[in-house]
Amino acid sequence: MTALDSLLAALGSLRANPLRTALTTLGIVIGVAAVIAMVAVGSGAERRMDQVIQSLGSNILIVLNGTSVSGGVRGGAGSVISLTEDDARALEEEVDAIAVAAPSIRGAGQLILGNANWYSTIYGVTPGYLRARDWVVARGRAMTAADERGAAKVALVGTTLVERLFAGGDPIGRSIRIKRVPFTVIGVLGKKGQTPFGSDQDDVVFLPLSTAKKRVLGGARVRGRHVGAITIKAASAAEIAAAERQATELLRLRHRIQPGQPDDFFVRNVAQMLEARAESERTMAFLLAAVAAVSLVVGGIGIMNIMLVSVTERTREIGLRMAVGARGLDILIQFVTESVMLSLLGGLVGVALGIGASMLAAEAAGWPLVFSPWSVGLAIGFSAFVGVFFGYYPALKASRLDPIEALRYE
Amino acid sequence: MSAPLIETRGLGRDYQVGGHLVRALAGLDVRIERGEFVAVMGPSGSGKSTCMHLLGCLDTPTAGSYRFDDSDVSRLRRDALADTRNRKIGFVFQSFNLLARATARHNVELPLMYAALGRAERRAKASAALAAVGLDDRAHHMPTQLSGGQMQRVGIARAIVNDPLLLLADEPTGALDSRTGAGIMALFQDLNVRGITIVVVTHEAGVARFARRVLRFRDGRLVADEPPP
Ligand SMILES: Nc1ncnc2c1ncn2[C@@H]1O[C@H](COP(=O)(O)OP(=O)(O)OP(=O)(O)O)[C@@H](O)[C@H]1O
Ligand SMILES: [Mg+2]
């Protein structure tokens, strides 16, 4: 019998019992869908992690102003302004595990170009900030220490601004007004895209920290040498924990906090936060793997059961096939083909279901849909294996029937 | 003249049933030449079907030897027996044994599938076999759309599609009325004239008359070898 004959024969007998076929494949459908979803969850989470790291910069710690406690009532983050530019310098110079410590302040405001305007996020930053966040200048030049010292009225703009405010034209050398102060655009920031949480990182303008504080964002709260945040880049991934510990110690010392008293700042360890999240996603993937394994086994047993029933029902047919010249191997192949088709059918439906589920999960969890062809291959391979493994015994039983007894079977 | 198609020596088949030995067939010595038309008769349980299974290489004897088409087939293994059945022997059954979900032509093609013939050749041979039994216009009918006589003709077409040396029929007219049965026997006669050796089991003397030789069995033994009544 040719392979095509076997396929056609198997299809024919599966079509003869559509409902039975559908019910039998259910376990495989669920198992394969779980495999697909598992891989999608795993790699989607991973991809988002990469994105976060890429958009925040690698090996990052963020130090924020702390909370005040007055009369037992705790304020929110930043209710006490304690961080200063000198803290940043001390961190960078005194802690070996820290490569860069860049102070910054953040605000928002109207940017005006001729009669166009755009509301955007405004950062006051030092040259170190770009290095800390692995942020490049795509065109033009970066800020320099001289810009910072001289409180130069220069600005770096994000790509969204180039599109919105400059209508796609070349912004370099042009002048924009922020709070009535004219700034000369000296460069365009490289594109970062959206944060994993959906905000546009390219909708920003960077000013020198000194200029921003004096002319644009200065106010009652962030006065003198104070800053909104310090972005720390650890010297390496391995030194993040050390950097966090030593930064905390140094800041407590500089802020003269007595032992036993709470910090007046927060250190956010981005990698750690991501790690916690990745952990829960791994648990999820593990659960899915368990569901997949159980469903595939249960599905396989279902297939085996149905194939045993089918062999019994078709004993006479088997006898006849043998009488006209089928060898044991022909019968074996016929029934294994049938069970493989059965489980592959389940596999295909499962792949479709799994892709659908992954899309929903990606939508809900807000990570990019990572659809990997190899997971489909894996799932199909699994289901084919289940078909062979669980179909083999019934097929072997069929192939070993005695032709005369099979022909006589009622 | 060449060697006989069938030659058995002391051929026997025992069954072990619940500690008892059942001698279904014992000490059969028979020669059947190429081109013969033989009827097998005898009371129920006399060993006719057992004999047909042995002659048709569906079963292996527990005693004696069997030469078929110049080779000893009594000690062949399962696969070799299957190949012999496929290439040299055709079976016709009392209950037709057609595949219910396949068309007449597909049923007829079945032995050719196991002979690994190409599609076109299969089609051509099946059409020819169906034409030989007068059913060329029923090729696409399902078994349920055929009469009993037509179903048996499809069964015969399936048995002859591989151009066998030997056609074995175990009560082929048992499920048919006598007129339809006579038609089937006439068809056998036709095939015999074209050179196929035929052995038919029957209970009816009228059917046996189509043959030129009658073997009578009783209690597992061949008791008479004579011309038809
Ligand atoms: N598989 C078997 N196991 C045990 N005994 C068997 C088996 N097959 C046949 N026999 C016995 O062998 C004897 C011959 O049976 P066989 O089927 O050859 O009879 P038969 O002549 O074809 O009868 P009938 O005309 O009713 O078809 C019977 O006594 C039967 O009980
Ligand atoms: Mg019988």
Side-chain angles (χ1 to χ4, degrees):
Chain A
M1 232 163 127
T2 67
L4 182 63
D5 290 331
S6 307
L7 283 181
L8 290 177
L11 265 185
S13 75
L14 294 184
R15 270 215 329 244
N17 255 320
L19 183 62
R20 182 155 111 180
T21 301
L23 291 177
T24 307
T25 55
L26 211 58
I28 303 292
V29 169
I30 293 170
V32 165
V35 170
I36 300 275
M38 172 184 79
V39 174
V41 166
S43 43
E46 215 167 275
R47 178 72 62 88
R48 188 189 50 192
M49 188 132 154
D50 291 348
Q51 270 189 355
V52 170
I53 288 180
Q54 200 240 304
S55 64
L56 287 177
S58 52
N59 310 333
I60 288 286
L61 295 169
I62 297 170
V63 188
L64 298 169
N65 284 302
T67 58
S68 63
V69 185
S70 61
V73 180
R74 248 167 187 270
S79 58
V80 147
I81 306 296
S82 58
L83 300 172
T84 67
E85 291 174 50
D86 305 312
D87 287 339
R89 178 164 306 135
L91 285 169
E92 187 170 315
E93 284 169 3
E94 291 171 34
V95 181
D96 283 345
I98 293 175
V100 182
S104 65
I105 61 172
R106 193 177 79 162
Q110 208 76 24
L111 317 183
I112 297 164
L113 173 81
N115 52 14
N117 69 86
W118 185 252
Y119 191 83
S120 187
T121 308
I122 302 164
Y123 279 90
V125 300
T126 58
Y129 187 82
L130 292 177
R131 269 187 290 133
R133 294 201 53 194
D134 301 321
W135 210 328
V136 297
V137 174
R139 277 185 291 143
R141 68 169 180 89
M143 272 170 227
T144 61
D147 292 332
E148 176 63 30
R149 267 196 313 278
K153 284 179 267 181
V154 294
L156 289 169
V157 293
T159 51
T160 303
L161 279 186
V162 175
E163 272 161 42
R164 298 296 171 143
L165 193 59
F166 297 92
D170 185 2
I172 292 171
R174 301 192 57 185
S175 176
I176 52 175
R177 299 170 74 82
I178 307 171
K179 298 232 171 125
R180 295 203 207 97
V181 182
F183 284 84
T184 305
V185 177
I186 56 169
V188 179
L189 293 163
K191 195 172 175 65
K192 280 247 182 190
Q194 296 209 329
T195 63
F197 316 102
S199 63
D200 180 2
Q201 302 187 82
D202 298 311
D203 189 3
V204 289
V205 57
F206 283 6
L207 311 174
L209 180 63
S210 53
T211 325
K213 277 167 68 178
K214 248 181 254 165
R215 306 231 172 207
V216 182
L217 299 173
R221 304 211 57 230
V222 184
R223 270 167 307 194
R225 305 283 296 160
H226 284 114
V227 293
I230 299 173
T231 303
I232 291 175
K233 187 182 196 64
S236 71
E239 285 165 286
I240 295 178
E244 181 176 6
R245 202 177 52 245
Q246 292 171 32
T248 306
E249 278 167 19
L250 182 62
L251 288 174
R252 284 181 69 92
L253 203 67
R254 289 179 57 83
H255 295 185
R256 302 203 173 79
I257 297 167
Q258 300 300 315
Q261 291 298 304
D263 297 344
D264 60 357
F265 55 89
F266 288 107
V267 182
R268 291 252 182 278
N269 184 337
V270 176
Q272 207 171 52
M273 281 156 55
L274 288 174
E275 193 47 48
R277 206 150 177 173
E279 187 57 43
S280 71
E281 273 143 12
R282 270 198 286 276
T283 309
M284 171 97 163
F286 177 78
L287 275 176
L288 281 171
V291 169
V294 170
S295 313
L296 285 174
V297 169
V298 170
I301 291 171
I303 285 181
M304 183 153 158
N305 180 40
I306 277 304
M307 290 311 295
L308 284 171
V309 169
S310 175
V311 167
T312 307
E313 278 176 354
R314 289 154 67 192
T315 300
R316 272 175 80 95
E317 176 193 323
I318 295 164
L320 171 79
R321 286 176 183 272
M322 288 177 163
V324 301
R327 291 177 167 202
L329 188 64
D330 292 318
I331 302 295
L332 185 85
I333 289 172
Q334 180 188 342
F335 280 92
V336 168
T337 305
E338 209 169 303
S339 78
V340 170
M341 295 271 283
L342 202 55
S343 64
L344 274 184
L345 201 72
L348 289 178
V349 175
V351 165
L353 200 71
I355 290 174
S358 314
M359 280 160 88
L360 282 181
E363 189 80 34
W367 62 56
L369 178 64
V370 186
F371 171 67
S372 49
W374 70 262
S375 76
V376 174
L378 182 80
I380 301 267
F382 257 135
S383 48
F385 172 76
V386 165
V388 172
F389 187 83
F390 290 96
Y392 188 76
Y393 173 69
L396 189 69
K397 220 178 127 183
S399 74
R400 289 199 176 150
L401 285 174
D402 180 73
I404 296 165
E405 275 168 26
L407 272 171
R408 280 210 189 122
Y409 186 84
E410 295 301 330
Chain B
M1 178 107 193
S2 57
L5 181 65
I6 288 170
E7 185 171 24
T8 69
R9 283 223 176 116
L11 197 66
R13 179 66 163 99
D14 296 337
Y15 287 106
Q16 203 74 42
V17 182
H20 290 277
L21 190 72
V22 179
R23 287 242 134 103
L25 190 71
L28 177 69
D29 295 306
V30 73
R31 276 168 70 108
I32 297 175
E33 304 294 338
R34 291 167 201 267
E36 276 199 83
F37 191 156
V38 180
V40 174
M41 299 191 76
S44 184
S46 58
K48 306 183 296 291
S49 293
T50 305
C51 173
M52 295 293 266
H53 295 150
L54 288 174
L55 296 185
C57 295
L58 274 170
D59 199 4
T60 43
T62 49
S65 71
Y66 173 27
R67 282 188 77 77
F68 174 72
D69 190 30
D70 286 336
S71 65
D72 186 0
V73 293
S74 43
R75 302 282 173 266
L76 287 184
R77 319 207 35 128
R78 277 174 66 107
D79 284 354
L81 287 175
D83 291 348
T84 306
R85 294 195 295 270
N86 185 247
R87 283 183 285 109
K88 300 183 177 175
I89 300 171
F91 287 95
V92 177
F93 304 92
Q94 178 174 2
S95 51
F96 320 136
N97 275 330
L98 300 182
L99 297 184
R101 290 193 309 267
T103 61
R105 185 171 57 218
H106 193 92
N107 268 287
V108 174
E109 280 187 18
L110 197 62
L112 302 176
M113 288 200 345
Y114 295 110
L117 251 60
R119 260 159 198 273
E121 202 176 346
R122 255 156 47 183
R123 206 157 259 252
K125 286 194 130 193
S127 297
L130 279 169
V133 299
L135 278 183
D136 15 7
D137 55 340
R138 295 285 190 275
H140 298 288
H141 285 227
M142 304 301 278
T144 48
Q145 299 165 329
L146 296 169
S147 72
Q150 287 170 334
M151 283 197 266
Q152 192 57 298
R153 281 168 190 274
V154 173
I156 294 167
R158 181 181 61 197
I160 62 171
V161 75
N162 252 355
D163 303 317
L165 300 170
L166 176 66
L167 187 70
L168 295 170
D170 197 345
E171 301 189 43
T173 61
L176 304 173
D177 63 69
S178 55
R179 261 196 55 204
T180 316
I184 294 293
M185 291 311 293
L187 178 58
F188 279 151
Q189 234 169 10
D190 226 42
L191 294 169
N192 180 240
V193 168
R194 288 195 227 165
I196 303 180
T197 309
I198 296 179
V199 180
V200 183
V201 172
T202 182
H203 282 293
E204 301 160 62
V207 168
R209 256 191 284 280
F210 285 86
R212 276 171 293 164
R213 178 182 173 193
V214 177
L215 304 177
R216 290 186 190 277
F217 284 81
R218 185 177 296 274
D219 297 332
R221 296 194 169 271
L222 179 62
V223 292
D225 186 348
E226 58 195 16

